[in-house]
C-alpha cells in the first residue's frame, strides 16, 4: 500500500529562541589564502587576516559574516545566527552539549556566543548582540537611478559606468543539504523560531524536500529565507547568498569575476520562491555562491506556500540553467557519507532521494537538451 | 488584483473586513449577507479606517452566507478521476450534485463526524461565487465570465463516503452540519484576474502531511464551459456558489477494475458491505483529533485565499 507522505516542518508555538538574522558561515579550506583571493574578487571586504583564519564582512556591518579557516579538507565548519535576548541566550545555554564563548567565537567582537549542535552535528553559534544592531541603517547606497517610460529620474545624464568587484551589503542566507530533512528543518523552527515561508514537495508522492525558513521578527520585515534545508544524500552547505544593492551591482559583480578568470555557475535570472534576482558563481573549491538583489521581505503574518519541485520551479526568467548546476552525481565521497549516515542510524529516506534525483535530472525547459 | 475580504465575529458582533498584509480592517457593515456584500463591493470603494485586528484576535466566519444554492462538480481533476475508478478519456459528461447550505461552517473551527459515520473524507476545492442572475441558457466564455463570477473562495467538500456511496445519498452524505468549511477569504475579482487563476495551487494537509496538491490548470471542465452547461438546467442568483471539484489525494480509493467486476456478481448489500469494510482499512480517512490545514494561493501570492484550520471531532 502507498505510504502517507512524511510530515512537513511547521512553525513552533514556543521556540527556545528567535534568531534575528544569519551572522556568519565558517568554512574549512585546505588553502584559505587562495580562497581569500577569490572572495575579494567576489566582493567581500577582508576584516582580519590570520595565518589560519581569514574573516570577511559586508559593507552594512563591521562584524564578520564569512570565515575561511585552515582545514584538512574543504568543508563546512559551522554557522552563526544572531539573537538579541539574554533570556533566550540562557535557555540555549541550558541545552545539552552547549558551549559558551564569553567573548564570541572570534574573540575580538565581545559578543557572548553559545554553540549548540543541530541534528546533523553542525555547530550553530547563537551570537547575542543588542537589538539596536538590527535597526534600519542608511547604507549610503542608491548611487544609480533608473529611468523608465513615464518616470524619469536621471535627466541629461548617462548611467554611470563602473568596474570592480560587486559591493556586498551582507550575507543573506545559507542553503544546507541534510540527510534528515524533517528533523533538521523542524529543529531550526523549534530552537531558533524559524518560520517556513515556502515548502517544495515531490510531484506524485507529495514528500516534502525543501523548506525555505525565515526569521520571526513579528511585525518587522525579514528575508523570505535565512536558512534553507533540503533533502540530501550527505550533510553539507549547498550555497550561500550575499545581498547587493541592485541589478546593476549583480551584473557588475559577474563581469568582474569573468574578467578575473573565474568560471560562472549560472546566471543572471530571477527566482520564483523569494523572487530575488540572482547570479551564481563557484568558488575555487567548486562551492556555489550567489549574488542577489530585490528579494522578498515578509513579516510573521505571511502563511506558508507549497509547490512542486522541478528545475523549472527555480526561476521565472533567466539564462538557461546549465546541466551541472544541480549536483546530481553520486560521488565516492557522497556514498561514504550516506553509508556513514545509515550506520549512525539516521532516518535517511532513500526512496525520496531517488525521486529527487530523477526530478533534478529533468531539463527545465523544452528547448534545453542535456 | 483581487481584493480580499473576510467575514468575522468579535465581541458578539458580526462584520465584514478587508484582509490585507495579514491584518483585518473592519468595514462596519454589520451582519450583511454575501449577496448584499457583493453589491456593496461593486458600488462603493471599501472605506477602511485605521483600526485593524490580527487574525488571532477575531473569529473567522464563512464568507458565504445561507440561504444560498451550492452546486458542486465531481471528479473534475484528471488524477482524481483515475483514483475514483473512472477513465479520464472516457469521461464525456460534467458531473453535478448539490450540497445543503446547512453544511456551511467557519474556516477555522471544527468538523463534526456524525456518530454513525466511519468514512469521513476531505476535498479541497476552489469555489466560485456568482454575481449575476442566470435564468436562461447563457453562453459563458473567457470574455464575459467576469460578469457572472464575482468572487472566489476556498471550500472543503467534506464527505461521508459510507452514506454517499452505499446509500446513494450524495445530498445527505455531503451535507451534514459542518461539512462545508468555507473561506476565510472572499476574493472579489478584478479585470485580468481570470488569467491568474490557472496558477492557483491547492494544498491540503492532514496532521502536517500533504494529502492533496494540484493547480487549477488541471481542471477537466473549465468554469466557462461548466457555467454554460449549468445554465441549461439551473437558475442562478447572485450569492450562489459553484464548487469546482477536488484534486487527487482523498481518502476514498475505488477498488480495482477486476474487483469491481467480481463485486458486480454480488448482491447490492454484500457489495457495499465489502466496500465499507475495505475502505475502513485505509488510514487516510479522518479520525477525531485530526487537524486539517488547507490553503489556495499562487506561488507569488498575487491571489491568496487564506488558510483553513479544522479539527475533526466526534459527534454525539
Amino acid at each position: 500500500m502507498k505510504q502517507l507522505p512524511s510530515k512537513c516542518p511547521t512553525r513552533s508555538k514556543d521556540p527556545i529562541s528567535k534568531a534575528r538574522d544569519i551572522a556568519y558561515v565558517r568554512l574549512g579550506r585546505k588553502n584559505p589564502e587562495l580562497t581569500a583571493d577569490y572572495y575579494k574578487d567576489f566582493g567581500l571586504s577582508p576584516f582580519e587576516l590570520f595565518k589560519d583564519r581569514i574573516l570577511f564582512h559586508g559593507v552594512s556591518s563591521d562584524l564578520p559574516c564569512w570565515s575561511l579557516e585552515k582545514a584538512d579538507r574543504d568543508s563546512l565548519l559551522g554557522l552563526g545566527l544572531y539573537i538579541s535576548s539574554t533570556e533566550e541566550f540562557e535557555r540555549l545555554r541550558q541545552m545539552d552539549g552547549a558551549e559558551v564563548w564569553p567573548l564570541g567565537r572570534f574573540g575580538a567582537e565581545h559578543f557572548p556566543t553559545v554553540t549548540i549542535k543541530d541534528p546533523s552535528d553542525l555547530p550553530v553559534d547563537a551570537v547575542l548582540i543588542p537589538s539596536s544592531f538590527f535597526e534600519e541603517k542608511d547604507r549610503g547606497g542608491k548611487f544609480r537611478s533608473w529611468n523608465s517610460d513615464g518616470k524619469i529620474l536621471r535627466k541629461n545624464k548617462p548611467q554611470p559606468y563602473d568596474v570592480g568587484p560587486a559591493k556586498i551589503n551582507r550575507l543573506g542566507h545559507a542553503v544546507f543539504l541534510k540527510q534528515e530533512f524533517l528533523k533538521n528543518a523542524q529543529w531550526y523552527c523549534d530552537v531558533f523560531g524559524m518560520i517556513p515561508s515556502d515548502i517544495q514537495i515531490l510531484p506524485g508522492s507529495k514528500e516534502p524536500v525543501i523548506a525555505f525558513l525565515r526569521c520571526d521578527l513579528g511585525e518587522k520585515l525579514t528575508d523570505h529565507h535565512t536558512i534553507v534545508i533540503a533533502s540530501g544524500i550527505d550533510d553539507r552547505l549547498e550555497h550561500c547568498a550575499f545581498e547587493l544593492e541592485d541589478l546593476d551591482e549583480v551584473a557588475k559583480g559577474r563581469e568582474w569575476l569573468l574578467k578575473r578568470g573565474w568560471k560562472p555557475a549560472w546566471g543572471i535570472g530571477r527566482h520564483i520562491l523569494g523572487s530575488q534576482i540572482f547570479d551564481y558563481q563557484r568558488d575555487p573549491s567548486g562551492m556555489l555562491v550567489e549574488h542577489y538583489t530585490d528579494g522578498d521581505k515578509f513579516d510573521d503574518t505571511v502563511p506558508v506556500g507549497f509547490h512542486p519541485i522541478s528545475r523549472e520551479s527555480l526561476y521565472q526568467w533567466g539564462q538557461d540553467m546549465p546541466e551541472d548546476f544541480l549536483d546530481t552525481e553520486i560521488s565516492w565521497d557522497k556514498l561514504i557519507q550516506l553509508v556513514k549516515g545509515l550506520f549512525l542510524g539516521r532516518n535517511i529516506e532513500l526512496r525520496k532521494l531517488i525521486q529527487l534525483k530523477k526530478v533534478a535530472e529533468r531539463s527545465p525547459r523544452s528547448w534545453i537538451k542535456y | 488584483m483581487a481584493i480580499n475580504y473576510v467575514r468575522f465575529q468579535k465581541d458578539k458582533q458580526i462584520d465584514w473586513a478587508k484582509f490585507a498584509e495579514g491584518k483585518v480592517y473592519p468595514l462596519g457593515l454589520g451582519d450583511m449577507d454575501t449577496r448584499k456584500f457583493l453589491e456593496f463591493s461593486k458600488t462603493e470603494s471599501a472605506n477602511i479606517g485605521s483600526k485593524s485586528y490580527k487574525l488571532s484576535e477575531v473569529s473567522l466566519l464563512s464568507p458565504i452566507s445561507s440561504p444560498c444554492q451550492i452546486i458542486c462538480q465531481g471528479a473534475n481533476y484528471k488524477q482524481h478521476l483515475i483514483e475514483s475508478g473512472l477513465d479520464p478519456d472516457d469521461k464525456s459528461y460534467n458531473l453535478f450534485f448539490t450540497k445543503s447550505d446547512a453544511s456551511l461552517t467557519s474556516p477555522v473551527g471544527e468538523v463534526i463526524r456524525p456518530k454513525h459515520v466511519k468514512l469521513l473524507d476531505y476535498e479541497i476545492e476552489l469555489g466560485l461565487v456568482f454575481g449575476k442572475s442566470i435564468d436562461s441558457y447563457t453562453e459563458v466564455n473567457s470574455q464575459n465570465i467576469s460578469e457572472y463570477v464575482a468572487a472566489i473562495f476556498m471550500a472543503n467538500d467534506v464527505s461521508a463516503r459510507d452514506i454517499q456511496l452505499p446509500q446513494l445519498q450524495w445530498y445527505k452524505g455531503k451535507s451534514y452540519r459542518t461539512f462545508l468549511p468555507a473561506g476565510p477569504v472572499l476574493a472579489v475579482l478584478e479585470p485580468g484576474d481570470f488569467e491568474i487563476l490557472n496558477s492557483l495551487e491547492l494544498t491540503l494537509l492532514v496532521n502536517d502531511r500533504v494529502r492533496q496538491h494540484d493547480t487549477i490548470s488541471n481542471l477537466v471542465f473549465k468554469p466557462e464551459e461548466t457555467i454554460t452547461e449549468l445554465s441549461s438546467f439551473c437558475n442562478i442568483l447572485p450569492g450562489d456558489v459553484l464548487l469546482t471539484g477536488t484534486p487527487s489525494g482523498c481518502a476514498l480509493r475505488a477498488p480495482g477494475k477486476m474487483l469491481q467486476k467480481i463485486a458486480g456478481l454480488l448482491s447490492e448489500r454484500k457489495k457495499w458491505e465489502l466496500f465499507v469494510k475495505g475502505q475502513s482499512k485505509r488510514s487516510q480517512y479522518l479520525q477525531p483529533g485530526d487537524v486539517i490545514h488547507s490553503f489556495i494561493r499562487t506561488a507569488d501570492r498575487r491571489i491568496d485565499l487564506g488558510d483553513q484550520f479544522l479539527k475533526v471531532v466526534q459527534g454525539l
Side-chain angles (χ1 to χ4, degrees):
Chain A
M1 197 165 93
K2 224 169 110 183
Q3 278 175 280
L4 288 180
S6 321
K7 271 193 158 186
C8 295
T10 52
R11 61 171 90 182
S12 171
K13 281 198 185 78
D14 189 22
I16 294 170
S17 74
K18 282 188 176 175
R20 303 289 305 257
D21 202 354
I22 187 166
Y24 49 76
V25 167
R26 295 168 48 226
L27 294 172
R29 286 292 182 261
K30 280 186 280 196
N31 189 341
E33 275 135 14
L34 169 78
T35 313
D37 286 341
Y38 174 82
Y39 281 105
K40 276 183 251 172
D41 283 338
F42 185 73
L44 283 166
S45 312
F47 172 82
E48 185 192 72
L49 298 147
F50 282 128
K51 199 165 145 265
D52 44 10
R53 186 175 70 208
I54 301 168
L55 295 178
F56 290 91
H57 69 104
V59 294
S60 69
S61 157
D62 293 332
L63 298 179
C65 68
W66 201 239
S67 170
L68 302 175
E69 302 172 26
K70 178 85 185 147
D72 297 338
R73 62 184 196 102
D74 296 339
S75 61
L76 169 67
L77 298 177
L79 160 72
L81 296 169
Y82 288 126
I83 58 166
S84 60
S85 140
T86 44
E87 293 89 66
E88 291 172 11
F89 188 86
E90 279 309 307
R91 280 204 292 270
L92 291 167
R93 215 169 69 129
Q94 302 300 320
M95 289 179 68
D96 276 351
E99 192 184 343
V100 175
W101 310 71
L103 296 180
R105 162 75 64 178
F106 306 114
E109 64 279 17
H110 301 293
F111 292 120
T113 296
V114 55
T115 305
I116 46 179
K117 283 187 172 172
D118 81 3
S120 73
D121 261 344
L122 179 75
V124 182
D125 300 348
V127 185
L128 178 64
I129 65 173
S131 49
S132 58
F133 177 85
F134 299 99
E135 279 159 21
E136 284 291 316
K137 285 173 214 144
D138 183 10
R139 289 173 186 140
K142 307 263 183 292
F143 66 101
R144 288 185 198 98
S145 32
W146 285 49
N147 281 346
S148 60
D149 192 18
K151 196 174 152 202
I152 310 298
L153 295 177
R154 220 175 53 248
K155 291 170 191 168
N156 302 328
K157 274 186 207 142
Q159 187 65 274
Y161 177 72
D162 196 10
V163 178
K167 195 183 82 176
I168 287 179
N169 287 357
R170 56 185 279 270
L171 172 62
H173 64 258
V175 177
F176 300 96
L177 296 180
K178 301 280 188 187
Q179 291 184 332
E180 292 177 296
F181 166 77
L182 174 66
K183 206 170 181 183
N184 281 281
Q186 192 61 53
W187 187 86
Y188 284 94
C189 296
D190 293 342
V191 177
F192 287 104
M194 298 276 186
I195 309 176
S197 294
D198 283 293
I199 291 177
Q200 290 194 284
I201 60 173
L202 284 168
S205 70
K206 303 185 182 82
E207 282 285 348
V209 285
I210 299 187
F212 293 82
L213 305 174
R214 69 181 186 276
C215 297
D216 178 1
L217 306 187
E219 289 181 351
K220 278 197 171 165
L221 294 170
T222 185
D223 292 355
H224 170 274
H225 50 282
T226 290
I227 302 265
V228 179
I229 304 290
S231 284
I233 196 167
D234 56 354
D235 294 317
R236 75 192 143 92
L237 181 65
E238 200 265 343
H239 82 259
C240 281
F242 296 85
E243 188 173 18
L244 314 183
E245 187 69 39
D246 59 15
L247 172 58
D248 270 294
E249 206 56 35
V250 173
K252 181 185 122 189
R254 181 180 179 83
E255 280 301 303
W256 182 253
L257 285 162
L258 290 174
K259 202 168 272 180
R260 301 281 288 172
W262 304 107
K263 292 270 172 287
W266 177 33
I268 296 172
R270 195 186 270 280
H271 279 303
I272 297 175
L273 304 178
S275 305
Q276 74 268 31
I277 287 178
F278 59 79
D279 176 39
Y280 284 93
Q281 305 285 337
R282 280 189 201 278
D283 82 359
S285 78
M287 191 185 91
L288 288 173
V289 269
E290 177 187 359
H291 280 147
Y292 79 90
T293 191
D294 194 32
D296 294 340
K297 304 279 179 181
F298 283 2
D299 63 22
D300 69 343
T301 64
V302 182
V304 64
F306 278 66
H307 324 279
I309 183 154
S310 65
R311 278 187 184 251
E312 211 182 341
S313 70
L314 295 183
Y315 57 130
Q316 36 179 311
W317 56 259
Q319 197 175 313
D320 287 345
M321 191 196 290
E323 186 179 7
D324 66 358
F325 181 72
L326 297 181
D327 184 8
T328 57
E329 296 299 309
I330 298 176
S331 63
W332 184 242
D333 184 54
K334 278 194 222 168
L335 270 181
I336 291 173
Q337 295 301 318
L338 178 67
V339 171
K340 212 165 120 186
L342 290 167
F343 186 73
L344 286 168
R346 284 193 178 159
N347 178 24
I348 304 172
E349 293 157 292
L350 291 173
R351 186 171 56 106
K352 193 156 131 175
L353 291 171
I354 293 163
Q355 285 177 52
L356 190 57
K357 184 169 153 59
K358 274 191 194 147
V359 167
E361 281 167 351
R362 212 164 294 151
S363 144
R365 288 168 175 179
S366 56
W367 61 87
I368 307 176
K369 301 275 179 263
Y370 290 148
Chain B
M1 209 64 55
I3 303 172
N4 282 354
Y5 297 100
V6 292
R7 197 164 153 255
F8 71 99
Q9 184 166 1
K10 185 166 171 65
D11 308 326
K12 291 183 183 161
Q13 300 285 315
I14 292 176
D15 194 6
W16 287 85
K18 195 167 173 177
F19 181 59
E21 287 167 14
K23 280 194 181 143
V24 174
Y25 298 89
L27 296 171
L29 299 174
D31 190 2
M32 191 183 259
D33 68 20
T34 307
R35 182 182 166 177
K36 286 229 176 65
F37 179 75
L38 284 173
E39 273 169 34
F40 163 84
S41 74
K42 255 190 275 178
T43 53
E44 292 175 51
S45 55
N47 233 343
I48 53 168
S50 54
K51 195 162 74 173
S52 74
Y53 301 117
K54 287 182 187 169
L55 263 189
S56 56
E57 293 173 325
V58 302
S59 307
L60 291 166
L61 303 175
S62 160
I64 308 302
S65 62
S66 59
C68 73
Q69 182 177 213
I70 300 161
I71 305 156
C72 311
Q73 287 177 273
N76 201 23
Y77 284 84
K78 253 195 176 149
Q79 203 53 39
H80 183 58
L81 273 166
I82 296 167
E83 67 179 28
S84 308
L86 298 162
D87 184 344
D89 299 326
D90 258 12
K91 203 204 168 199
S92 51
Y93 58 91
N94 202 336
L95 169 61
F96 290 102
F97 62 94
T98 54
K99 270 174 105 92
S100 135
D101 61 6
S103 61
L104 279 165
T105 191
S106 153
V108 177
E110 294 178 342
V111 168
I112 301 163
R113 184 175 81 164
K115 204 176 160 188
H116 55 286
V117 169
K118 284 194 186 73
L119 306 180
L120 190 72
D121 209 347
Y122 46 82
E123 294 189 359
I124 186 174
E125 305 199 9
L126 177 73
L128 311 178
V129 190
F130 291 99
K132 191 174 173 180
S133 297
I134 299 179
D135 56 10
S136 58
Y137 180 76
T138 309
E139 294 261 6
V140 177
N141 52 46
S142 58
Q143 299 303 310
N144 67 0
I145 186 161
S146 55
E147 289 173 35
Y148 296 94
V149 178
I152 57 173
F153 68 103
M154 172 169 43
N156 192 338
D157 176 17
V158 178
S159 309
R161 301 296 189 198
D162 40 359
I163 310 295
Q164 179 201 345
L165 298 167
Q167 294 189 10
L168 302 174
Q169 304 254 24
W170 281 58
Y171 190 47
K172 185 163 82 172
K174 288 191 167 264
S175 294
Y176 287 99
R177 294 186 194 279
T178 73
F179 271 27
L180 180 49
V185 164
L186 183 76
V188 175
L189 297 175
E190 300 206 301
D193 284 341
F194 262 91
E195 285 124 60
I196 313 172
L197 297 194
N198 266 339
S199 50
L200 276 175
E201 292 178 298
L202 304 90
T203 313
L204 181 140
L205 299 97
V206 178
N207 302 332
D208 300 325
R209 291 167 197 267
V210 184
R211 297 288 185 85
Q212 294 186 283
H213 183 88
D214 211 335
T215 62
I216 298 298
S217 63
N218 289 324
L219 280 176
V220 178
F221 291 97
K222 310 285 178 204
E224 304 81 294
E225 225 181 317
T226 304
I227 299 167
T228 303
E229 193 185 348
L230 204 54
S231 75
S232 65
F233 65 89
C234 190
N235 289 333
I236 304 280
L237 287 174
D240 286 351
V241 301
L242 173 70
L243 307 188
T244 54
T246 199
S248 66
C250 290
L252 175 70
R253 193 57 41 93
K257 284 252 148 55
M258 188 55 111
L259 218 56
Q260 284 185 36
K261 272 190 189 145
I262 297 168
L265 306 171
L266 302 171
S267 71
E268 277 295 296
R269 208 180 126 199
K270 190 74 194 160
K271 182 173 87 181
W272 290 114
E273 220 178 87
L274 287 175
F275 168 81
V276 173
K277 208 175 148 195
Q279 295 291 311
S280 303
K281 289 186 193 136
R282 289 179 60 80
S283 57
Q284 281 88 340
Y285 282 101
L286 295 167
Q287 301 297 328
D290 283 350
V291 175
I292 313 164
H293 176 201
S294 60
F295 38 96
I296 299 180
R297 53 182 64 111
T298 58
D300 60 15
R301 292 167 166 86
R302 264 190 293 181
I303 298 189
D304 187 343
L305 302 184
D307 290 58
Q308 285 193 359
F309 291 95
L310 303 160
K311 194 168 180 178
V312 179
V313 299
Q314 180 63 55
L316 299 171

